[in-house]
Amino acid sequence: MATPAEKLVRTYLDHLTVERGASPNTVAAYRRDLARYTSFLATRGIDDATAVTEADVSAFLADLQAPVDGHVPLSVSSATRALVAVRSFHSFVAAEGRTSDDPAAAVKPPKAAKNLPKALDIGQVQALLDTPDTGSPGGLRDAALLELLYGTGARVSEVVDLDVDDLQPLLADPDAGLRLFGKGRKERLVPVGSYARRAVEAWLVRGRPAFAQASARPSPALLLNSRGGRLSRQSAYGVLQKAGEAAHLTVDVSPHTLRHSFATHLLDGGADVRVVQELLGHASVTTTQIYTLVTAEHLREVFLAAHPRAR
């Protein structure tokens, strides 16, 4: 039988889904983190979220980062993510009037070293985009995936969630742009360049029909797997890994690598950071500004390598 704390967590997750329109991936992540939290509370003899104190929440954060009972300590980013879920949960509990105060409000996340995103240079991106064999249906699909990821800066989930119908306005009018739905189903319109449009058109005409006929139930998805179903995020990651190996890149390549590269190359080309913010679908410009650090580091490297009196 579920404890009072677990029941409140279920109510909160329903709130995330229905009231706030959180994506299934976000809800799944919160569910995992809050399950870990309620298990920790149980070890302290607490089965009711309304009985939690600030000390309990702080102890949970410390437990995440310590090799206690044989579990591997979480990274700063993972521990922060878990704390965000706990703070959001307790904020909801307080807002619902279940408690008079919020025991998690004053618990601060751990500070992390600022890691710069890894971006490919333009030559590496070109080598990556040149790897698919566009003489085969699978190669046409992979080319469309790669060009869309780099050409729009979209998250991989946003690309694999696209349906054929979503592309119709763009195919009818190249200036129409592509409508994407980001975190929390936040909608944005992004322009799509000629390379990505041509790759998508080639896939729709010469590649997708071959994959579509493999399934008895037609899928509306733009990108299909060989069985005629929607291409998954995991399979898209595999496409990127395979392309990185074929291009002989020495760095790890993921869909997010192309998103990082998209942003960095735009800023290197003189794009305004707020324009890049809109294209990426970031809620705050602060998130986007880390890419300006990448550009500044790149400029420093060029300066040190090229100027005769730099060292």
Side-chain angles (χ1 to χ4, degrees):
M1 183 176 294
T3 65
E6 291 169 337
K7 290 178 180 178
L8 263 180
V9 165
R10 291 177 187 172
T11 301
Y12 169 65
L13 294 175
D14 289 341
H15 166 76
L16 278 183
T17 302
V18 178
E19 300 296 331
R20 294 176 55 181
S23 71
N25 293 329
T26 297
V27 175
Y30 274 52
R31 180 179 290 110
R32 288 192 297 270
D33 289 331
L34 291 173
R36 186 168 190 166
Y37 178 56
T38 54
S39 294
F40 171 80
L41 292 178
T43 66
R44 294 170 72 89
I46 301 170
D47 65 0
D48 189 339
T50 63
V52 173
T53 66
E54 183 179 322
D56 295 321
V57 179
S58 296
F60 172 65
L61 179 59
D63 179 74
L64 292 177
Q65 298 181 278
V68 177
D69 296 331
H71 78 64
V72 177
L74 295 187
S75 65
V76 170
S77 60
S78 295
T80 298
R81 184 205 65 217
L83 180 60
V84 167
V86 169
R87 290 180 63 174
S88 182
F89 167 64
H90 278 294
S91 176
F92 168 77
V93 172
E96 290 287 295
R98 306 290 186 98
T99 57
S100 58
D101 60 353
D102 182 347
V107 180
K108 303 298 182 185
K111 292 186 177 180
K114 187 170 286 186
N115 295 318
L116 299 180
K118 302 297 182 183
L120 304 177
D121 62 37
I122 294 176
Q124 289 174 315
V125 171
Q126 187 61 61
L128 194 74
L129 298 178
D130 286 343
T131 58
D133 173 16
T134 53
S136 69
L140 288 167
R141 191 271 320 276
D142 294 350
L145 171 66
L146 295 176
E147 290 285 1
L148 279 172
L149 287 171
Y150 178 63
T152 65
R155 301 174 180 90
V156 64
S157 57
E158 295 170 345
V159 172
V160 298
D161 283 348
L162 286 171
D163 291 339
V164 173
D165 287 348
D166 296 327
L167 273 292
Q168 295 310 315
L170 176 68
L171 297 177
D173 177 8
D175 296 328
L178 179 61
R179 199 169 302 280
L180 297 174
F181 292 90
K183 294 181 178 180
R185 297 297 294 170
K186 182 180 178 183
E187 182 180 326
R188 71 185 187 280
L189 192 67
V190 298
V192 180
S194 60
Y195 287 89
R197 287 200 311 273
R198 286 198 294 269
V200 168
E201 289 171 350
W203 156 246
L204 287 174
V205 174
R206 307 200 323 266
R208 190 179 183 280
F211 279 12
Q213 67 184 9
S215 174
R217 299 181 62 183
S219 170
L222 170 66
L223 300 175
L224 302 178
N225 57 37
S226 59
R227 299 180 302 280
R230 186 180 298 274
L231 187 72
S232 67
R233 290 188 304 154
Q234 292 77 12
S235 295
Y237 183 90
V239 170
L240 266 291
Q241 292 283 290
K242 179 181 176 182
E245 293 172 2
H248 305 294
L249 300 183
T250 57
V251 296
D252 186 46
V253 179
S254 71
H256 222 62
T257 305
L258 289 183
R259 183 168 160 85
H260 290 329
S261 303
F262 167 86
T264 302
H265 297 167
L266 280 174
L267 290 167
D268 280 342
D272 183 89
V273 67
R274 291 196 177 275
V275 172
V276 178
Q277 174 197 355
E278 290 296 325
L279 292 173
L280 292 175
H282 286 160
S284 169
V285 73
T286 303
T287 309
T288 316
Q289 282 174 335
I290 191 169
Y291 295 104
T292 65
L293 300 178
V294 178
T295 300
E297 181 65 21
H298 173 68
L299 291 175
R300 181 176 181 277
E301 290 174 356
V302 171
F303 169 72
L304 291 174
H307 197 284
R309 301 179 77 87
R311 297 183 184 274

